[in-house]
């Protein structure tokens, strides 16, 4: 039995339950967030670069959609306290059902995004961000500067200062990242080759019935700590 990793940061993610999407996603990225283990990549011909290069940036996070972005624990709070508060919150929040997911090019990277209206999921994410905010330490100046390199709008700057992250609340856009940044041509090629593999795994409807507390280990890799059923 290996020692439980010590986590420097925590986050709340949607991670697909056991099934086709979770399995393919772990293999594609080369990291299984549930078991906390590296996984061999699948053999997929015709990609513009090795899968290990295409997926280098998102690999450490595992296959996920961010609900509450990574944060360090605030002074005076503990992992056990966070678990208890999240468990209580999950018992009050209902599961949400959306039309489905689709493979999309977002700027320079590929991701699975919501088909149809994402409002129920945005509302869920907003509740989680807000209700668990007492556990979040304020970002350092270096973290703030890094975020500001993305040319934030005034609204995103306000959100960064209030919630430690610019893409929450009304700026929230759910996505499950599959690649790092690619040039336009490489992104289109990768999308065309990936599409049939992904299509076989996509749930219809897309139901978010639970959320996952995850932690970042000393190597920067994220691990599932516990999955909480939304039973409100």
């Amino acid at each position: 039995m290996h020692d439980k990793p010590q986590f420097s940061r925590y986050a709340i993610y949607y991670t697909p339950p056991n099934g086709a999407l979770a399995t393919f996603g772990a293999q594609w990225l080369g990291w299984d967030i549930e078991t906390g283990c590296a996984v061999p990549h699948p053999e997929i011909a015709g990609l513009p670069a090795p899968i290990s290069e295409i997926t280098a940036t998102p690999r450490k996070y595992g296959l996920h959609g961010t609900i509450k972005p990574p944060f360090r624990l605030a002074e005076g709070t503990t992992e056990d306290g966070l678990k208890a508060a999240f468990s209580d919150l999950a018992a009050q929040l209902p599961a949400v059902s959306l039309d489905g997911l689709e493979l999309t090019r977002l700027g320079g990277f590929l991701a699975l995004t919501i088909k149809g209206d994402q409002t129920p999921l945005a509302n869920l994410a907003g509740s989680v961000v807000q209700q668990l905010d007492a556990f979040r330490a304020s970002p350092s100046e270096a973290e703030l500067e890094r975020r500001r390199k993305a040319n934030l709008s005034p609204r995103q700057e306000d959100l960064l200062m209030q919630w430690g992250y610019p893409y929450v609340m009304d700026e929230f856009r759910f996505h499950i990242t599959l690649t790092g940044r690619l040039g336009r041509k490489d992104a289109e090629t990768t999308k065309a080759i990936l599409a049939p593999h992904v299509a076989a795994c996509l749930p219809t409807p897309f139901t978010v019935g639970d959320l996952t507390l995850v932690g970042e280990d000393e190597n920067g890799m994220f691990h599932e700590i516990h999955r909480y059923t939304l039973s409100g």
Side-chain angles (χ1 to χ4, degrees):
M1 183 78 185
H2 56 281
D3 291 339
K4 175 174 172 281
Q6 291 298 306
F7 298 123
S8 57
R9 293 194 299 167
Y10 296 85
I12 311 283
Y13 286 166
Y14 165 78
T15 61
N18 283 333
L21 181 56
T23 301
F24 176 76
Q27 292 170 347
W28 170 254
L29 292 178
W31 179 254
D32 186 331
I33 192 170
E34 185 187 358
T35 59
C37 293
V39 183
H41 294 297
E43 296 286 333
I44 299 178
L47 290 166
I51 296 182
S52 58
E53 285 176 30
I54 291 173
T55 59
T57 307
R59 178 172 310 122
K60 68 176 207 166
Y61 300 100
L63 189 75
H64 79 286
T66 301
I67 299 295
K68 183 170 177 64
F71 58 94
R72 285 173 289 103
L73 281 180
E75 193 84 28
T77 64
T78 63
E79 181 183 310
D80 285 344
L82 174 60
K83 285 178 177 165
F86 188 17
S87 177
D88 290 347
L89 180 59
Q92 297 163 32
L93 295 170
V96 300
S97 192
L98 303 128
D99 293 351
L101 291 168
E102 56 192 345
L103 181 60
T104 310
R105 187 161 69 82
L106 292 177
F109 63 95
L110 299 180
L112 301 177
T113 58
I114 299 292
K115 229 192 267 192
D117 181 23
Q118 69 145 18
T119 308
L121 187 53
N123 292 341
L124 171 67
S127 295
V128 174
V129 165
Q130 202 169 5
Q131 299 294 328
L132 297 177
D133 199 57
F135 291 91
R136 177 183 63 83
S138 296
S140 66
E141 274 308 313
E143 288 168 317
L144 291 174
E145 284 314 311
R146 201 178 75 243
R147 291 280 169 220
R148 288 177 177 133
K149 285 185 179 146
N151 296 325
L152 302 180
S153 68
R155 174 61 180 152
Q156 289 166 346
E157 172 68 26
D158 289 347
L159 291 166
L160 175 64
M161 296 314 292
Q162 185 171 5
W163 305 109
Y165 194 71
Y167 311 113
V168 292
M169 305 306 173
D170 46 300
E171 292 286 330
F172 173 80
R173 302 288 179 274
F174 181 85
H175 57 280
I176 296 175
T177 305
L178 296 177
T179 72
R181 291 200 178 281
L182 301 167
R184 179 181 289 263
K185 186 161 170 280
D186 284 355
E188 288 302 341
T189 302
T190 304
K191 185 179 177 203
I193 290 169
L194 197 50
H197 295 275
V198 167
C201 311
L202 295 185
T204 309
F206 171 51
T207 301
V208 177
D210 49 39
L211 294 175
T212 307
L213 176 64
V214 299
E216 181 182 19
D217 72 15
E218 63 209 356
N219 301 315
M221 307 303 286
F222 279 78
H223 299 247
E224 175 179 312
I225 297 170
H226 192 77
R227 190 180 275 273
Y228 293 89
T229 302
L230 301 176
S231 53

